[in-house]
Each structure stands twice: as structure tokens, then as C-alpha cells.
Amino acid sequence: GLNNELTHEQFFEVMIEAYPSYAGEGMSLAQLFESFDTDQSGTIDFKEFTVGMSRLTRGTLQEKLELMFEVYDVDGDGTISVSEL
């Protein structure tokens, strides 16, 4: 059957094709992947992808800020340190 989940590599390919400005942003894409992968399965399913993309592209300012905070708070401690930027 079809595998309806994206691996890291597939996610990077999709995002770089849709948003070429991400091409040199490997770390940001890795962090964005982790933020989209809400069940921490190592893959992104259709629901995770659509919810993540909605927050990224159509969310309220608050939702976009929360997503960006999740992306840059690499260690998940609720703060963004200089080393995480």
C-alpha cells in the first residue's frame, strides 16, 4: 500500500520545492520537521502536515509566533538561547 507519511528527506524535498528560500536552511527545516511531527514518530502524516502548514501559512500571528518559537526552542526548555539561533 501507499505510505502516507513523509520522512525527513521527503519533507525537505517538498518544502524546498514549494519554498525555494529554504534551500540553504537545513537546520531550520530539521527544526520545522520536529515541530510538525507532533507525535514524535520520526515521520509526518497527512494530518500533521496539513495542521503544520496551516499554522505556517494561514495561522494567526499568535499561531505563527508559537510555531516559530517551537522551531527555534531546540531543547524544548521554553526559552530560546543564543546557541539555538
Side-chain angles (χ1 to χ4, degrees):
L2 292 173
N3 181 353
N4 293 319
E5 298 186 349
L6 293 173
T7 64
H8 281 91
E9 295 78 20
Q10 292 166 326
F11 178 75
F12 291 2
E13 289 174 17
V14 167
M15 294 303 289
I16 290 169
E17 186 171 324
Y19 302 97
S21 63
Y22 279 119
E25 303 283 333
M27 178 60 92
S28 295
L29 282 176
Q31 293 164 306
L32 192 60
F33 180 93
E34 297 300 324
S35 180
F36 277 36
D37 183 20
T38 56
D39 65 1
Q40 299 176 341
S41 66
T43 59
I44 296 175
D45 64 26
F46 181 76
K47 181 179 178 184
E48 289 171 324
F49 185 77
T50 55
V51 168
M53 287 304 295
S54 178
R55 289 175 67 199
L56 184 63
T57 60
R58 288 186 268 171
T60 64
L61 178 59
Q62 181 69 30
E63 289 169 330
K64 288 178 183 178
L65 289 172
E66 288 172 2
L67 177 62
M68 289 297 99
F69 190 87
E70 289 172 18
V71 168
Y72 287 101
D73 181 19
V74 178
D75 62 11
D77 69 354
T79 63
I80 298 174
S81 63
V82 174
S83 65
E84 290 173 313
L85 294 177

